[in-house]
Every structure is written in C-alpha cells, then in structure tokens.
Amino acid sequence: MGSRRVNVLTGAVPRDLPVAFGRGRRFIFGRQPADTSVSMDPETLRVLGAVLAAVRDARGYPDLLGRLARGIRTGLGCERVTVYMLSRRRGLFLPAADVGTPASVVETFAQRGYGPEAFPGHAALLEGRPLHLVRGAVPPDIETMLRLAELRELAVAPMIYEGSGEGALSCGVHDGPGFGPEALHALGEVAPHAALLVHTARLEAEQARLAERRARLATWAAAVVGADDVDRMAERVCAASRALFRATRSALLLLRGDELHLRGRAGSFPTSVPTRLVVTGEAAFEEPLRTGQPLIVNDYRHSAYFRGAIAAASGAASVLIIPLVDAAGWLGVLTVTDVEEPFRFKPTDEEDARLLGAITTVALRKGLVVEELRQASAAKSEFLASVSHDLRTPLNVLLGYTQLLGEETFGAVTTEQRDTLRRMERTAASQLTLVNDLLDLARIEQGKLSCTLLPVHLGELTDGLREMMEALLRDRPVAFDMTIASDAVARTDRERLRQVLVNVLVNAAKFTQAGCVRLVAARVGEAVDVTVADTGPGMDTVLARQVTEPFVHGSGPAAGTGLGLAIVSRLLGVLGGSLAIDSAPGRGTRVHIRLPGA
C-alpha cells in the first residue's frame, strides 16, 4: 500500500518544469521527461509490455485509447483507468477512454474531465507533475473529489511528448490493493511512451479527418459552382459549411454599401436575428472584412467580439466568420455558429475556412454575373414586348389603308399609283412580320406564350405550306417536295407547329437558288420526326451552332433578321420537341425536328 500522503513521483517527470501559459493556448513544457532510451526496471518493462500488447492491433485513434486504458489496467492491476486528452483550446483534461469506472461515477464526475474548477490537482498536471492521492491524507478539496469519485486511492501521470502535453493517465482504486512505489514509478515511466503512441494516433486521425474534409470540399465545390442561380448557391454553401464544421447553423450575407444582407442560411435561426445589419456595429464582422482572413471566436459570449445587434440575438457559443473577397472586391461574409459548444472550432479549421471562402467567392461571382445577365435579358424581353405591341397597331392601320387604296375604295388609282401601293403593302407586311416575330420571341422568353396540345396530323398542313412555297420559289429552278406518312400524328399546338414549319421552309427557300427543298415527316417510335433539307450553300460549323440564337444569321442578300430559327428553337422547347441542324459549306442544310407523338 502506498504512503498516506500526497506523493509527487519525482522519479518519473522533472519537478522544475514551468507552469503552462494559460487557458486556450498550446501548453509548452520545459523539456522532455526522462530519456526513454535508458534501461528500465522489471516492473516498468512489464507494464510497458502489457500496454504494447494491448495496442498492437489497434484500429484508429478511439480504438487505441480504449486499448491503452485496458493495457494500463492489466499492467498495474488497478480497478479503474481513464485516459484523459488535453484540450488546448479549453485548458482541460477531457475523458477519452475508460475501463472499470461505474456509470454513476462517470455521470457525476469523470465525464466532466479535469479542470481548474473540477480537479484540485489540475495545476500540477499542467506543470508536468504526476500525483498520488490517498483518502484520509489529503487536503479537504481533494478528499471531496476522491469521495465523489468513489476512490480510496488515485494515481495520475501526465502524458508529455516533446515538451507538449498530450493528456493524462488516471488509475484509481476503490477496494483493491493500493499502489506500491514500483507501480507508481512504472506509471510515471510508461506515461511518455503512451504520449508518443497517442501523439502518433492523433496525427494520423487528424490527417484522415483533413483528407476527408478536402474530399468533401471538392464535392461541395462542384455542387456550388454548378448551381444555376445565386439563391441555390447560397443554400448549398450554407448547408456545406454547417456540415463541414458540424455546427448548429450557417448564414451567407452579401455586402451592399456598409450593410450586410442575408441571402441564404441553413439550420434553425431565432426569429429575432436581423436579416440586415450595419457592418460597423458588429465587432465579429469588422475584423474579417478589414483583414480578409477568417476569424475564429471560441467562447464567443465571453469574448470582446460579443457586441452588436446580432450578438445578443443569435445565442451563439462559438463563431466562425469567413470573408468573401477577391481581386474584384468584397462580396460579403459566410458565418458558421454553434449554440451549444463554446469551443467548436479548432486552429486547423482556419485553412478549411479559407478554401471554402475561395470556392464560395468564385461561385458567387459567376452567379451574380449570370443574375445580372438574366435581369438584363428580362428587361430586354419586356422592352421588346412593349415596343412590338406599340408598333403592331400603327402597322396594321397602315396596311389596312394601303389595301383600301389599292381596292379603289376612295377612288380610281393610276397604274403608277397601284405599283407604289403594292410596294408599300409588301414593306408594311414585312415589317409587321418582323414585329410579330419580336413579340413571339419576347413572349416565349417571358414564359407567357400559351399552347394547346392536341393530336395533329401533319398532312393537314400540306396545302397551305405548298401554296406558300410555290409563291416563294416562283421564277427559280427549285423544286419543292413533301412526303408525310399517314401515321405522322403529333401531340402539339396546331398553329404553333405551322409557325415552326413556315419559318424553317421560308429559311430554306431564301437560301436555295437551285436544286430542291424537301420536307419529310414520319413516325419513329413514340415521336414524329420532321426533316427539311435544301440544296443551298450550307453553313460552317460555328454558324450552325449559333444560328438558333436571336439575330444571328448568315451573310449575303438572302440573309434576314436572324429570328426565324431562334423562334423555332424556343417554340419547340415549349411544345416539348427538339431541334438539330446538320450543315456544311457546299452541302446544303438539313433541319431535324422531333415532336412528341400523339
């Protein structure tokens, strides 16, 4: 049985080690414990052998800690062993593995760990001094601690590796034999070896965790950059950051002037949290926006950053602020908070925060540009719709009066006057067609074009199409042919399908000066395929790829406004169809249309 007094094991760890710097920092000790390369006594070798045998087949960090506890228990023959790991952020020895401690004791004492308020010997451990405590021969505060832990005797040895504390080995006795001098000495000698094992396992676990994080960051980066709008990006970024740091919630705020505006969030937020705030009033936001570096604030409620409107309303215990900035300037901040864990974030989280911030900034830049382009496109469509509507009315009036004059409603006209009226009518009709095309394009892009889908046999449209093509191809050596199968029945809008075919045929007729234009329609499985082929000059690859965009057209006298195929492409999208163009210079053009079958 060990002596009945507080016993410092002077043989295991030097007593002249300086006290650690303080809570929340890295604990640096004076020097390494006794040189582990020297010969050991038999008792130490036996205990060390038991430890090494226990941890030999350990798989991962948690398993190693559990095996270490069992190895110490076997080697020393004590009843309880708890392995405590030193949390440098908190300045506490936190329980990581245990064997033999009753559940009632774990709940009331052991799970809290060793800290300045929970364990009177905390300071000695930070100084690198092991302890031997025996009930009945210790100060009252330690006596109370042993009684709560239901221990008659306790030996604690700090695990120190290369001058840095890793944790502590705690061995307790309730009813069994106490610790003799040899056992106490062996515990102190084995502790630095255990520290080396723990340090190595800790590094491996940290490397594995970082590798997993990098892999998840890469996956999330692809998802964020691939989002089709800023709101979706903000949603994915917030979800990713919350999962990455295992925090309660996350929010994305964009900077407008000197204000931050909420754009996305993940997790549960109090209704009192503001969605807009002034930067100068929030201490936690000022620093990252000034320095461009992520800011980790653990124990947030007791920090100098705990001031401002959002601080009191958020209820956060720990905070991570990630600035979103690049060479083009500031975008905003990404906040990650935890409401329960005051020491959620580690120093290694700062690098992950930088990576996530860079990914988010790149994605948001792209998203904001796309958003601006969409807004400009919507404004353009609104303008086109408005202008087209305003132009169509006077053109219809002009056409009406021109036709009345040509019909001599207001009196006889001369031959020269009739020729002039025909030219006026053709010009006005051409302009009206252009205005109608612009109006259709604007309606399609605004999603305001309505269609009624019914079974339509393409053969019903042949008469009108043939008459149109005969008029267009008059006085040119160009033949027109149509072959429509009897089962070519599509589920579509009759008038919009006619508009599609008219635009495609008019385009073919304009560019074909000799040869033929052919339309073929046939049922293919559940679809109806329509092909319009011509023997015109054809298009190069670049033009063929771009010709379905508005105002893109070929060169030459036959070139039009560039709206025909653009309208066709968009109309087919509304009708549930598709368009493909096969063309090459000197080989003509084939336009392939696929429609859903009836």
Side-chain angles (χ1 to χ4, degrees), residues 29 93 114 119 121-131 156-158 160 168:
F29 297 87
F93 289 90
Y114 290 166
F119 179 53
H122 180 260
L125 292 177
L126 292 183
E127 294 174 9
R129 291 184 283 123
L131 300 172
V156 186
I160 302 173

Side-chain angles (χ1 to χ4, degrees), residues 158-403:
M159 294 187 293
I160 302 173
Y161 174 72
E162 291 187 347
S164 178
E166 293 291 334
L169 299 175
S170 172
C171 304
V173 173
H174 176 60
D175 293 321
F179 298 104
E182 291 184 350
L184 294 172
H185 178 77
L187 178 63
E189 289 292 311
V190 168
H193 296 277
L196 175 58
L197 291 172
V198 169
H199 179 77
T200 303
R202 221 174 191 178
L203 287 179
E204 290 176 352
E206 184 67 18
Q207 290 298 321
R209 186 187 67 83
L210 290 176
E212 180 188 1
R213 274 196 173 185
R214 297 299 186 269
R216 281 191 288 171
L217 272 172
T219 302
W220 286 328
V224 169
V225 174
D228 53 6
D229 59 55
V230 174
D231 290 327
R232 188 69 60 82
M233 287 179 184
E235 175 187 322
R236 292 180 180 179
V237 165
C238 291
S241 58
R242 183 188 176 204
L244 182 68
F245 299 107
R246 299 178 182 178
T248 308
R249 54 184 177 238
S250 178
L252 177 68
L253 300 101
L254 295 184
L255 191 64
R256 298 178 191 169
D258 63 346
E259 289 185 338
L260 286 166
H261 294 252
L262 182 68
R263 190 63 187 259
R265 62 188 183 183
S268 177
F269 281 78
T271 55
S272 57
V273 173
T275 59
R276 187 179 69 180
L277 47 96
V278 179
V279 175
T280 53
E282 302 298 327
F285 294 148
E286 289 177 355
E287 184 173 326
L289 288 174
R290 185 180 68 254
T291 64
Q293 298 298 320
L295 174 66
I296 292 176
V297 186
N298 284 321
D299 201 11
Y300 177 56
R301 295 167 192 167
H302 299 96
S303 73
Y305 298 96
F306 192 73
R307 59 181 173 85
I310 199 171
S314 67
S318 52
V319 175
L320 169 61
I321 309 293
I322 306 172
L324 306 177
V325 61
D326 58 13
W330 288 100
L331 282 177
V333 295
L334 176 63
T335 69
V336 187
T337 58
D338 198 287
V339 299
E340 296 180 353
E341 175 55 63
F343 294 89
R344 168 61 62 194
F345 305 104
K346 302 177 182 178
T348 53
D349 291 336
E350 190 172 332
E351 182 59 31
D352 287 341
R354 286 195 187 92
L355 289 173
L356 185 60
I359 293 168
T360 303
T361 303
V362 170
L364 284 176
R365 282 292 182 204
K366 184 207 82 169
L368 290 171
V369 169
V370 172
E371 188 174 79
E372 290 175 1
L373 291 174
R374 284 178 177 164
Q375 291 173 352
S377 178
K380 179 262 298 178
S381 297
E382 290 284 352
F383 173 76
L384 285 178
S386 176
V387 170
S388 300
H389 185 271
D390 291 342
L391 286 176
R392 188 163 59 169
T393 300
L395 281 172
N396 278 323
V397 172
L398 180 61
L399 267 174
Y401 279 114
T402 302
Q403 290 168 355

